[in-house]
Amino acid sequence: MVIVMSSKATEADVQVVTEHVEALGLKAHPIFGVERIVIGVIGDERLIQKDQLSLIPHVETVIPILKPYKLASRELKPEDSIIDVAGVKIGGKEMVVIAGPCSVENEEQLLQTARSVKNAGAKLLRGGAYKPRTSPYVFQGLGEEGLKLLQKAKAETGLGIVTEVMETADVELVAEYADLLQVGARNMQNTRLLRSLGKTKKPVLLKRNFSATLNEFLMSAEYILSGGNEQVILCERGIRTFVEYTRNTLDLNVVPAVKQLSHLPIIVDPSHGTGRHDFVIPLSRAAIAAGADGLIIEVHPNPAVAFSDGEQSLTLEAFQELMKEVGIIALAMGRNN
Ligand code: PEP
Ligand code: MN
């Protein structure tokens, strides 16, 4: 961090800054120029609250050098992280597709979907048992009964399970069934939940909130990593913009941005990102072309009667088509699938 003092600053002002910095265990190195004094700070500047420093008289500008996240950054770990989810490696050469219904509804719906997506080439099964719905009057998920159905689908197909955990109190229970614990967009900054996931041994799929900056997204990952759980996979699922013809705007810019700044894998959810089944295949192709490590796709045997997100769910046949088209892009990108 570099602190630039105003032209009126005296040595006494520099002393105040030095004491502030040293009280936090860092070192301050003032450089007395002809017109200005600048102070170089040596040590982990993340311990300093920039806003507090700016309140000290004659501090003009505070320029951080390090990223506010540490464990999530490529500065700390230059090589890509590869996360093992029930034997499926995410973040390596392989493109991984996770597929399944938005909500687990019943045994027939889940098993039919699981068998079909497995045959089409999906590597993991998704399905919500606890659903964060906008309306309190609609289906909220089957809860533990849904988790048991997911377990049954796993036993039959061998597909590892991806399912959402909404509350700290549910982490232990959901972790008994899930191979990958999903944090939904609405909970991206639920820091209690993130902290408790930092203590689990299961990998976490962290979905970006619809209004989160890239920095906030990576800081949320940092909560889980700093709790001791290194297995974090990021997921772009669309953000809010002025656009009204899609449910969200899928921010594919974030894929190369994350790849530059972080070693963590990133997958893309074009189902929530578009809200339109007819846009899911083209945006899946685009996501893989942009460098995403995989996709998470909503699939339903009969989207017209789905309890949630039917309008963005692919039929079993459309999902087969998706796998074909995306496979071509993955090959072109030098990935296995
Ligand atoms: C979901 O995956 O069904 C879901 C609720 O996603 P999001 O949290 O991204 O809205
Ligand atoms: Mn959904």
Side-chain angles (χ1 to χ4, degrees):
M1 176 177 283
V2 175
I3 302 164
V4 183
M5 304 299 286
S6 82
S7 56
K8 296 196 184 69
T10 62
E11 280 197 40
D13 296 319
V14 173
Q15 190 52 35
V16 176
V17 174
T18 302
E19 279 165 19
H20 183 94
V21 166
E22 291 185 349
L24 296 165
L26 301 137
K27 287 225 166 338
H29 286 275
I31 302 158
F32 295 89
V34 181
E35 298 197 16
R36 290 298 172 94
I37 306 167
V38 298
I39 304 168
V41 177
I42 314 291
D44 191 346
E45 64 186 46
R46 297 175 183 96
L47 299 169
I48 299 178
Q49 288 192 42
K50 198 179 151 200
D51 301 345
Q52 259 185 11
L53 210 54
S54 310
L55 290 173
I56 297 176
H58 300 301
V59 168
E60 194 175 86
T61 322
V62 180
I63 308 161
I65 307 228
L66 298 176
K67 300 280 185 302
Y69 41 86
K70 188 163 156 182
L71 301 173
S73 78
R74 271 220 195 265
E75 284 164 0
L76 186 93
K77 184 172 182 284
E79 70 280 7
D80 290 340
S81 284
I82 300 178
I83 315 292
D84 189 314
V85 181
V88 176
K89 295 197 168 42
I90 303 184
K93 208 168 153 47
E94 195 183 355
M95 172 203 67
V96 174
V97 179
I98 304 168
C102 176
S103 302
V104 177
E105 298 170 8
N106 57 60
E107 184 169 336
E108 166 74 8
Q109 169 246 16
L110 184 65
L111 282 154
Q112 197 188 346
T113 310
R115 287 182 204 119
S116 180
V117 299
K118 159 125 190 184
N119 280 337
K123 293 282 158 51
L124 297 165
L125 176 67
R126 66 148 289 150
Y130 297 88
K131 295 303 302 176
R133 304 301 303 279
T134 302
S135 165
Y137 305 119
V138 297
F139 181 62
Q140 304 285 308
L142 295 179
E144 191 169 359
E145 191 193 331
L147 296 176
K148 293 207 162 100
L149 292 176
L150 287 164
Q151 188 177 44
K152 202 162 183 177
K154 179 179 176 178
E156 193 191 302
T157 61
L159 292 173
I161 299 303
V162 184
T163 196
E164 177 159 353
V165 57
M166 287 173 54
E167 292 184 40
T168 307
D170 296 337
V171 170
E172 217 174 301
L173 174 73
V174 180
E176 278 176 36
Y177 295 87
D179 295 292
L180 179 57
L181 290 160
Q182 176 174 326
V183 176
R186 291 156 191 80
N187 265 323
M188 189 203 83
Q189 286 185 313
N190 180 341
T191 53
R192 291 253 177 132
L193 180 63
L194 300 177
R195 278 207 190 282
S196 61
L197 290 167
K199 296 199 198 93
T200 66
K201 303 267 177 292
K202 289 278 166 84
V204 176
L205 180 66
L206 179 66
K207 298 190 90 176
R208 180 187 182 185
N209 179 261
F210 18 81
S211 62
T213 63
L214 174 54
N215 191 57
E216 287 163 344
F217 192 19
L218 291 173
M219 288 304 275
S220 290
E222 189 79 9
Y223 262 93
I224 304 168
L225 297 168
S226 65
N229 188 351
E230 292 178 0
Q231 308 170 84
V232 177
I233 299 164
L234 302 170
C235 178
E236 162 60 28
R237 47 78 72 211
I239 53 171
R240 281 276 159 82
T241 68
F242 58 85
V243 160
E244 79 309 339
Y245 62 92
T246 51
R247 181 175 177 184
N248 290 291
T249 296
L250 192 62
D251 178 22
L252 291 181
N253 295 351
V254 89
V255 174
V258 161
K259 290 284 172 196
Q260 273 181 15
L261 297 171
S262 178
H263 53 87
L264 297 173
I266 178 161
I267 67 166
V268 169
D269 172 352
S271 305
H272 294 85
T274 64
R276 291 180 56 159
H277 65 92
D278 53 340
F279 285 10
V280 169
I281 292 181
L283 271 298
S284 296
R285 293 193 306 251
I288 298 305
D293 295 297
L295 300 166
I296 180 164
I297 307 289
E298 289 188 337
V299 181
H300 196 284
N302 185 359
V305 299
F307 290 4
S308 60
D309 288 349
E311 63 291 355
Q312 66 193 35
S313 297
L314 296 188
T315 60
L316 306 179
E317 298 73 29
F319 181 70
Q320 286 176 6
E321 176 62 20
L322 177 143
M323 290 303 289
K324 257 191 241 151
E325 295 195 22
V326 157
I328 296 167
I329 306 291
L331 278 180
M333 293 296 294
R335 283 182 177 272
N336 304 333
N337 57 303

